[in-house]
Amino acid sequence: MSSQSIVPAKSVQKGSSEKFVYANARGVTETFNVSHGKGIFFWDTNGKRYFDGSSGAVVANLGHGNERVRDAMIDQANRISYVIRTAFTSESTDTLRKLIADLAGPGFDQTFLVSGGSEAVESAIKLARQYAVVSGQPKRRKILARLPGYHGATLGAAAVTGDPDRDEIFGPIMQIMPKVPAPLSYRLPEGFDVSSYADYCADALEQQILAEGEETVLAFIMEPVGGIATGALVAPDSYYSKVREICDRHGVLLIFDEVMCGAGRTGTFLAAHHWPSALPDIVVCAKGLSAGYTPLGAMIAPNRIFDKVAESGGFLHGHTYCGNPLSSAIGVAVLKEMLEHDLMGNAKRMGVVLRRKLNALKDQSTTIGDVRGMGLLNAVEIVEDQATKAIYPQASYRVSEIARELGLHIYARRTASGKFGEWFMAAPPLITTEPEIDLFIELLTETFRVFESKS
């Protein structure tokens, strides 16, 4: 891992718009002061408009400035914003818990509300562990995960994140969990096609369980549709069925991390619903669950797990803002918007349109290597050479900076210093229309024209 300077955040003036400078994986980066937003657009304090091509960090599913969500927020704030969950509940909290469980469907009976994705993953890990202990299986403590993979920034979530660079820094203060290969679909080892490599990765999971000792393996956590670590990776259908069968065979709980791909983003409420024969034991959601209008996340699990834990004296876990009435009311309003306006259906329809037009752009480009995804969760991989698939270092960040200059926000990501590739998320809000997708493609076309002219 290359060394980098850690510099304190500071603010400077640029025209009438304040901008902030901070250190990240690329070094020093600038962020600009946002003034307001409406629909799929937001504006900075200089009056420049941006198309939100990645819904922020794949969060703003409803776009910006939704008045009905705002009104629900104000109404709840006028009533009460916070109570301690261990002593009280509220109408909005009870409504949201039931609504999420109903949308998740049979086998997902209980909802535990938190304030974001990392908290949801931590909750799932702890619920799985407590369930094993109270079920008479205290040796089960290892959580297998994929490499590459991402599950959050807290230490428990980081321990199951598949990123060697992060392990190098934070490994000394956490217990890094075993990893198995992710079923990548673009850069494949020699001798494999997409299907055979997915089979190999599923087999590797079983081999790892046996190598660890199945009596010590608690759970396997994975994103059913990839997020920032694998760029909207979708495996062949057979992979999901095989993973489910392997977990069942060895008594291992299957956890789906749907922080990014859940809440309607792929065209169904849970991405898991695309593979009904391979449903997980526990699911975590966040991001689109509140569409960015408040910090919110959820863990969803069946009564067979919750009841066992409850009978033992209760779940030994919690956070201050779990199930607070204000966030709950916002979550209810967001999900009602999604249901009343068929935004899951729109995500499915517009996702087909977007991928078709992204692939047309790929055919005109010399540096777009792959387009992949499901619904309105998609990634565009950037390469130096389409024939060799050579990784183009820092390309995703360069492309995102050019796009920003042109008035387009895209979320650029890379895992493990780019060892697995460079891409950006093409994930506009679920309210996006086909004419707006045309504008997105127009801005991307100009972005790549500029990028390729300077490459």
Side-chain angles (χ1 to χ4, degrees):
M1 181 182 64
S2 60
S3 61
Q4 61 183 2
S5 299
I6 299 177
V7 299
K10 61 180 180 178
S11 65
V12 296
Q13 294 295 320
K14 183 178 182 181
S16 61
S17 178
E18 187 176 39
K19 72 179 181 181
F20 294 86
V21 180
Y22 67 97
N24 70 359
R26 289 180 287 161
V28 175
T29 302
E30 298 173 351
T31 63
F32 292 81
N33 197 321
V34 171
S35 168
H36 62 285
K38 190 66 179 176
I40 63 167
F41 300 103
F42 58 89
W43 286 258
D44 68 22
T45 50
N46 280 329
K48 183 175 180 177
R49 189 185 77 170
Y50 300 84
F51 185 110
D52 197 353
S54 296
S55 305
V58 195
V59 175
N61 283 11
L62 300 186
H64 306 281
N66 185 291
E67 295 176 356
R68 290 168 294 280
V69 175
R70 178 204 62 193
D71 291 346
M73 186 185 307
I74 292 171
D75 179 66
Q76 184 62 53
N78 285 334
R79 296 168 182 266
I80 190 166
S81 297
Y82 175 80
V83 292
I84 180 171
R85 70 169 186 89
T86 53
F88 300 96
T89 186
S90 68
E91 181 181 358
S92 63
T93 299
D94 290 344
T95 299
L96 181 60
R97 285 173 177 155
K98 185 176 187 305
L99 181 56
I100 291 172
D102 288 347
L103 288 169
F108 296 106
D109 309 295
Q110 302 292 335
T111 306
F112 186 78
L113 298 173
V114 293
S115 297
S118 295
E119 286 189 12
V121 170
E122 294 280 341
S123 301
I125 290 170
K126 288 186 176 179
L127 181 69
R129 171 59 182 168
Q130 190 172 348
Y131 172 70
V133 171
V134 302
S135 299
Q137 303 177 77
K139 290 183 179 180
R140 291 194 183 269
R141 58 179 180 80
K142 299 174 185 175
I143 300 163
L144 275 54
R146 304 196 307 195
L147 176 68
Y150 182 78
H151 298 290
T154 52
L155 290 181
V160 295
T161 287
D163 186 333
D165 285 359
R166 292 170 187 263
D167 289 350
E168 183 179 337
I169 294 172
F170 302 114
I173 59 171
M174 67 186 185
Q175 185 176 356
I176 299 171
M177 292 292 171
K179 305 298 187 301
V180 298
L184 303 178
S185 59
Y186 181 56
R187 286 188 176 80
L188 299 171
E190 188 175 350
F192 288 100
D193 59 19
V194 172
S195 180
S196 64
Y197 188 61
D199 288 343
Y200 169 83
C201 292
D203 290 341
L205 169 62
E206 184 157 39
Q207 291 166 11
Q208 190 69 40
I209 291 171
L210 294 173
E212 298 293 335
E214 71 169 38
E215 72 283 358
T216 71
V217 179
L218 174 61
F220 175 54
I221 186 169
M222 56 170 274
E223 293 177 289
V225 179
I228 61 173
T230 54
L233 170 67
V234 183
D237 291 346
S238 60
Y239 174 80
Y240 302 89
S241 298
K242 287 186 175 182
V243 165
R244 179 69 271 179
E245 291 166 3
I246 290 165
C247 289
D248 287 343
R249 188 153 55 242
H250 299 286
V252 173
L253 295 175
L254 178 58
I255 301 171
F256 274 9
D257 178 346
E258 298 210 16
V259 168
M260 185 174 286
C261 63
R265 174 57 65 174
T266 66
T268 54
F269 180 68
L270 297 179
H273 291 155
H274 294 287
W275 301 280
S277 65
L279 293 176
D281 299 290
I282 302 172
V283 181
V284 296
C285 291
K287 290 186 180 284
L289 204 56
S290 66
Y293 287 87
T294 190
L296 183 65
M299 173 185 64
I300 318 163
N303 280 336
R304 65 180 173 82
I305 291 178
F306 261 104
D307 289 349
K308 197 79 173 177
V309 171
E311 290 166 5
S312 72
F315 189 20
L316 302 176
H317 175 67
H319 298 276
T320 299
Y321 292 99
C322 283
N324 73 84
L326 182 58
S327 290
S328 297
I330 295 167
V332 170
V334 166
L335 292 180
K336 283 184 176 179
E337 284 289 288
M338 185 175 71
L339 294 171
E340 291 173 6
H341 297 280
D342 187 29
L343 297 186
M344 289 186 286
N346 192 62
K348 183 177 181 179
R349 293 186 295 270
M350 290 301 102
V352 172
V353 173
L354 178 57
R355 281 187 298 283
R356 183 178 74 243
K357 295 187 177 186
L358 286 172
N359 276 304
L361 176 59
K362 171 179 173 287
D363 292 340
Q364 303 167 18
S365 168
T366 60
T367 58
I368 295 178
D370 193 32
V371 172
R372 55 184 179 265
M374 180 178 281
L376 283 176
L377 178 60
N378 302 279
V380 175
E381 183 148 355
I382 308 164
V383 295
E384 261 187 331
D385 183 273
Q386 289 177 327
T388 65
K389 303 181 182 179
I391 293 171
Y392 198 148
Q394 302 288 342
S396 58
Y397 294 131
R398 295 184 207 175
V399 167
S400 71
E401 288 163 359
I402 293 168
R404 186 173 66 181
E405 289 298 314
L406 294 170
L408 171 64
H409 162 70
I410 50 176
Y411 186 33
R413 295 299 305 181
R414 57 209 294 268
T415 304
S417 298
K419 294 180 181 70
F420 298 94
E422 298 261 350
W423 52 78
F424 64 85
M425 308 306 292
L430 306 192
I431 61 172
T432 302
T433 63
E434 188 164 354
E436 290 167 341
I437 287 177
D438 289 337
L439 175 57
F440 187 17
I441 296 296
E442 180 183 324
L443 290 166
L444 277 178
T445 300
E446 180 62 12
T447 296
F448 276 93
R449 186 195 68 78
V450 173
F451 173 68
E452 290 171 0
S453 72
K454 294 180 178 180
S455 298

